[in-house]
């Protein structure tokens, strides 16, 4: 037996120190609610959970981005709704002016209101913005879904407007079928008027050829013949017997795009855009939207129909994007929920388990303290030998 080194007491003290260290870690977990408070707690788990946290934070921000994108779209759509109302009023005035029950003075008054309405369309297109970003002035029109022309209206005319190559001329195409060659006995003609922001271009082609070309846009008829009502052996000179309106929206690769970041990682975005809807880009230039005569008023109806169709198309595209974003938000919410659950399993403490461990450590510490006290009394037994 030795008195300089009480090995039993040293062993008990070492065990108490270890238990105290374990209880300290358990207390830290209980107070923070985290299973991993430092890298040494679980090095691999820390790395994995930090990567998950990055994804979770990114997905939460993507949800906010998508919600902001919906707000932007709703701002633009609200302005387009008002433009729609204005166009309907312009069409109503054009229909009124087409009747010869109106005098020239009456038509001048109708024209004055139309001019003011055109100016309001321009003001809306110029001033509508979201977070200082202009929405309807053409800065965001680089995204186009199609370069094919769509027939807006047409009576007996069966036609499709097809682009040639990729350099289609944007604009409204007014196709009028009648007799424009100055001779009542000539073949049927097609008068094509291209209306762009820069003005108008007109060309008359003889219908018997079957194909007429203006610029780089080809007008293709259904077969080589057109069935119209029987007008006898002659046609009224310079009179329109039927008309149709089509629009070409060329694919524009210049300008800006609307890029919405809808995911947590690079490339997780969607691209959209909004066409310009000012009066010129709608084909409502002053030389065309003219109701001061009966013939011009009738042509104005067709042109306004094309403008209404374009605004409807833009609103439809925006509505489709908004619906997509709403589904995106729902999907992102599910991803955030599941990633958070996985990250929680790695990072968060199981409070019941940690409380059980804490209680165990408490008991062990108390037991160790009792054994340390016993070990400290062992050297006193040597005194019995010294007394003998």
């Amino acid at each position: 037996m030795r008195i300089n080194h009480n090995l039993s007491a040293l062993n008990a003290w070492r065990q108490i120190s270890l238990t105290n260290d374990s209880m300290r870690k358990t207390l830290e977990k209980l107070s923070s609610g985290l299973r991993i408070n430092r890298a040494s707690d679980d090095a691999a788990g820390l790395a994995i959970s930090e990567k998950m946290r990055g994804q979770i934070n990114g997905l939460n921000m993507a949800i906010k981005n998508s919600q902001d994108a919906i707000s932007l779209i709703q701002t633009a759509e609200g302005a387009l709704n008002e433009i729609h109302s204005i166009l309907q009023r312009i069409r109503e005035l054009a229909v009124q002016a087409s009747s010869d029950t109106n005098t020239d003075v009456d038509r001048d008054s109708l024209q004055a209101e139309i001019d003011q309405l055109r100016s309001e369309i321009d003001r809306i297109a110029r001033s509508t913005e979201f977070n200082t970003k202009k929405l309807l002035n053409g800065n965001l029109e680089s995204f186009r879904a199609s370069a094919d022309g769509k027939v807006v209206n047409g009576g007996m005319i069966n036609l499709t407007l097809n682009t040639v190559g990729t350099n289609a001329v944007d604009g409204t195409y007014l196709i009028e079928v009648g007799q424009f060659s100055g001779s009542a006995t000539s073949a049927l003609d097609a008068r094509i008027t291209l209306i762009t922001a820069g003005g108008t271009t007109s060309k008359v082609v003889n219908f018997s050829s079957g194909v007429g070309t203006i610029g780089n846009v080809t007008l293709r008829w259904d077969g080589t013949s057109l069935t119209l009502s029987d007008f006898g052996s002659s046609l009224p000179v310079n009179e329109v017997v039927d008309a149709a309106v089509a629009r070409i929206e060329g694919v524009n690769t210049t300008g800006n795009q609307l890029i919405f970041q809808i995911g947590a990682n690079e490339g997780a975005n969607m691209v959209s855009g909004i066409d310009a809807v000012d009066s010129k880009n709608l084909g409502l230039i002053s030389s065309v939207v003219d109701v001061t005569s009966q013939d011009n008023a009738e042509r104005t109806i067709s042109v306004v129909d094309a403008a209404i169709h374009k605004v409807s198309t833009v609103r439809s595209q925006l509505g489709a994007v908004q619906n997509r974003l709403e589904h995106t938000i729902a999907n992102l919410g599910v991803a955030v929920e599941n990633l958070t659950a996985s990250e929680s399993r790695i990072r968060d403490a199981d409070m019941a388990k940690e409380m059980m461990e804490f209680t165990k450590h408490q008991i062990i510490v108390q037991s160790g303290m009792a054994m340390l006290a016993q070990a400290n009394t062992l050297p006193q037994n040597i005194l019995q030998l010294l007394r003998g």
Side-chain angles (χ1 to χ4, degrees), residues 42 116 187 311:
D42 185 350
Q116 290 297 319
V311 175

Side-chain angles (χ1 to χ4, degrees), residues 35-48:
R35 188 180 71 86
I36 303 174
N37 291 282
R38 58 181 58 82
S40 60
D41 292 337
D42 185 350
L46 177 70
I48 295 171

Side-chain angles (χ1 to χ4, degrees), residues 82-211:
E82 196 57 39
I83 291 177
H84 248 157
S85 298
I86 293 173
L87 291 174
Q88 293 291 354
R89 175 58 179 167
I90 293 176
R91 191 183 192 283
E92 182 182 349
L93 294 172
V95 172
Q96 181 179 356
S98 298
S99 175
D100 275 335
T101 56
N102 296 284
T103 65
D104 290 342
V105 174
D106 296 332
R107 289 191 171 110
D108 287 341
S109 298
L110 295 172
Q111 183 65 47
E113 182 177 350
I114 288 176
D115 291 340
Q116 290 297 319
L117 292 173
R118 287 177 58 253
S119 297
E120 179 60 16
I121 290 176
D122 289 335
R123 188 198 67 79
I124 293 174
R126 184 176 59 253
S127 62
T128 301
E129 61 181 36
F130 179 84
N131 193 27
T132 71
K133 181 187 289 291
K134 302 295 184 182
L135 301 181
L136 305 178
N137 64 351
N139 288 344
L140 306 175
E141 69 173 357
S142 59
F143 175 81
R144 298 283 178 81
S146 172
D148 294 329
K150 305 298 181 183
V151 177
V152 177
N153 67 355
M156 293 169 284
I157 298 177
N158 184 5
L159 63 90
T160 302
L161 212 56
N162 296 319
T163 60
V164 177
T166 59
N167 299 316
V169 178
D170 289 8
T172 300
Y173 292 79
L174 176 62
I175 302 99
E176 298 168 293
V177 176
Q179 203 285 319
F180 308 109
S181 301
S183 171
T185 58
S186 68
L188 210 57
D189 301 319
R191 182 170 65 190
I192 308 168
T193 303
L194 170 59
I195 306 168
T196 66
T200 61
T201 304
S202 294
K203 184 175 183 179
V204 175
V205 295
N206 186 276
F207 183 72
S208 61
S209 64
V211 176

